[in-house]
Structures are given as structure tokens and as C-alpha cells.
Amino acid sequence: MNNITKLPTAAVSYYTVHKRGRDWAVVLVTPCEGMRPIKTALRAYRVRDEAVQDAKETAARMQRPFKEARG
């Protein structure tokens, strides 16, 4: 699949990790112009490092960026 062409209208979504209750969630964030971004929780982990590792692997596999949360 080396012939993937990105469209100029494609959403600039990215993966990150957010705290959800007692767990850490791998989240797909899709920015929406003029609105709040759409946040989709994909998986949850008890340990933050496991969630970050999974988010990085998923981002690489899906050819999307991974953004580390501030803090």
C-alpha cells in the first residue's frame, strides 16, 4: 500500500492518550472547523505507558500522527 494519496480535504486527525476515570484511553481526535473536535475513545488501559505505546503503534499503522498530551 505504498500508493496511498492523501486528499487535501482529508481531516487532520491524530491519536493521543487521555485520562478517563481510573484508566487511560487511546483516543482518536478529529478536528472540526468551527466546532469542538470529535474525540473517539478506542481502548483503555490501567497503565499510562501501555496506552501511550499502543497509541504510537496504532498511529504508525494508520499513518496518522501521535500527539503527546501536555503536562
Side-chain angles (χ1 to χ4, degrees):
M1 284 194 160
N2 293 334
N3 59 351
I4 296 174
T5 304
K6 292 190 178 188
L7 298 174
T9 57
V12 188
S13 59
Y14 60 92
Y15 291 90
T16 190
V17 174
H18 284 261
K19 182 81 170 153
R20 294 264 170 122
R22 289 187 284 173
D23 298 331
W24 292 92
V26 175
V27 179
L28 173 64
V29 180
T30 305
C32 295
E33 191 173 322
M35 296 172 42
R36 298 180 93 180
I38 298 170
K39 296 180 181 179
T40 308
L42 304 175
R43 290 175 289 283
Y45 293 88
R46 289 281 184 193
V47 180
R48 185 180 188 280
D49 291 338
E50 292 176 8
V52 169
Q53 182 63 32
D54 181 40
K56 287 180 180 179
E57 290 171 2
T58 302
R61 190 172 58 250
M62 302 305 289
Q63 299 181 353
R64 297 279 186 198
F66 170 76
K67 293 187 180 179
E68 189 78 37
R70 289 179 261 159

